[in-house]
Amino acid sequence: MKKVNIYRFCNYALMALISCFLALNTVSPALTQTVSLINSTPSPTNSLIWPTQGILSQGFRKYQHEGIDIAGAKGTPILAVAAGTVVKAGWDNWGLGNFIEIKHLNGSVTVYGHHSRLLVRKGQQVKQGQIIGEMGSTGNSTAPHLHFEFYADGRLASNPLSLLPSATIAKIPVNQPIPPKPQPALPVSNNTECSGTTVLTGETATVSIKVCEENSQLFYIGKLKQEPSQVLKIPAWKVNKNRYKADNGSFSYLISPEKIEIWRNGSPIRADSFLTSHGLGN
């Protein structure tokens, strides 16, 4: 795993330099996907289950962010995606904080970072779905989340989203109460573009965000840069001068000229500063 560690060190060093230069923690808040993931139906090709539940806050980018981030509340259970042996469990000096590394029967390796608490030790055998830790914000992290990596051959990182079951299917957590089902976003027009006046725009490293006014109704529009076809458009309203809010089920977005904040059930999850922004000041 030395090669994996070198890759991870380079990746985290690069991310740290970018963070210092831009004062930005790169996330994808505009299209946060609600995922209730624990004890999900295994993927037919790899028989994996999701490692936790929460919102998918950042995706996989080769040589930049070689894993996915799932944000949630501190203490949310973290599960082993498949049976295997714990080969590492402790502190990672390269950004993952409290982390766990598991080698599986087919030779693949999974990595779980930023735990608040570790519940397994090196050398321990674990079963698929076994709780191995609790979600936290240790290491290079600004809010509670799980950083999850998958190495098919133990050396080269693969995109976990191509190996895990669909995140749109409701799942029931293992040994946990069934979470409240988020309410769907309010229905809006099929037109996902701004056909009125743009009130405020902002751009992060991964997302373009816009507040638009159409026929006296405000809308929040979020678009992933890597997947422009994925657009979220929901009703919004003005909180105060140059500050707007939009609700998407149990999630809320607070948009200002400087940043976007993500809240869930009235509690802040994380914030993402804009690289560029523009407001009309109305």
Side-chain angles (χ1 to χ4, degrees), residues 21-255:
F21 182 72
L22 299 176
L24 172 67
N25 177 36
T26 303
V27 297
S28 303
L31 294 175
T32 47
Q33 184 177 14
T34 305
V35 283
S36 182
L37 307 173
I38 302 177
N39 202 23
S40 56
T41 304
S43 165
T45 55
N46 291 282
S47 298
L48 302 180
I49 63 170
W50 283 86
T52 191
Q53 62 182 10
I55 60 171
L56 190 61
S57 58
Q58 187 169 180
F60 177 91
R61 298 189 306 282
K62 192 68 175 176
Y63 304 123
Q64 298 178 51
H65 186 257
E66 296 198 323
I68 60 173
D69 289 348
I70 303 172
K74 181 180 179 180
T76 300
I78 307 298
L79 277 64
V81 299
T85 303
V86 178
V87 293
K88 293 181 182 179
W91 183 263
D92 176 67
N93 291 320
W94 295 338
L96 288 180
N98 291 323
F99 86 114
I100 295 168
E101 186 175 300
I102 298 176
K103 186 170 184 178
H104 304 285
L105 302 179
N106 62 359
S108 64
V109 171
T110 51
V111 177
Y112 314 72
H114 307 305
H115 294 258
S116 62
R117 190 159 68 114
L118 303 178
L119 300 178
V120 294
R121 63 185 182 278
K122 181 178 179 180
Q124 182 175 340
Q125 301 291 318
V126 295
K127 298 178 180 179
Q128 184 179 55
Q130 180 175 336
I131 298 176
I132 58 175
E134 295 178 354
M135 188 178 294
S137 187
T138 57
N140 185 14
S141 172
T142 59
H145 73 285
L146 169 70
H147 176 80
F148 175 71
E149 300 175 357
F150 180 86
Y151 297 84
D153 58 0
R155 296 181 297 108
L156 298 177
S158 301
N159 185 354
L161 293 182
S162 65
L163 305 166
L164 294 167
S166 170
T168 60
I169 303 174
K171 318 300 190 309
I172 300 176
V174 174
N175 299 323
Q176 297 292 322
I178 299 176
K181 182 179 179 181
Q183 297 299 314
L186 296 175
V188 298
S189 167
N190 291 330
N191 176 22
T192 55
E193 299 298 327
C194 181
S195 57
T197 302
T198 298
V199 177
L200 186 151
T201 61
E203 183 177 319
T204 72
T206 56
V207 181
S208 297
I209 294 167
K210 184 180 295 184
V211 176
C212 174
E213 184 174 359
E214 300 177 0
N215 300 321
S216 301
Q217 169 66 58
L218 292 171
F219 289 94
Y220 163 89
I221 303 174
K223 181 184 296 185
L224 283 176
K225 293 180 178 179
Q226 291 183 335
E227 300 181 57
S229 61
Q230 294 192 21
V231 181
L232 176 66
K233 183 178 182 180
I234 54 178
W237 65 92
K238 194 170 186 176
V239 178
N240 51 40
K241 184 178 181 180
N242 289 334
R243 197 162 186 237
Y244 303 87
K245 184 178 181 182
D247 288 334
N248 183 20
S250 60
F251 296 94
S252 297
Y253 308 122
L254 288 175
I255 310 100

Side-chain angles (χ1 to χ4, degrees), residues 255-275:
I255 310 100
S256 67
E258 297 81 23
K259 62 183 177 180
I260 177 170
E261 301 173 43
I262 306 173
W263 294 59
R264 185 179 188 187
N265 295 324
S267 298
I269 294 179
R270 62 194 308 150
D272 191 9
S273 299
F274 289 138
L275 295 172

Side-chain angles (χ1 to χ4, degrees), residues 2-16 92-95 149 151:
K2 288 186 178 179
K3 189 173 183 180
V4 173
N5 289 335
I6 293 173
Y7 286 156
R8 189 181 303 139
F9 173 75
C10 294
N11 292 337
Y12 277 99
L14 178 59
M15 290 173 64
D92 176 67
N93 291 320
W94 295 338
E149 300 175 357
Y151 297 84

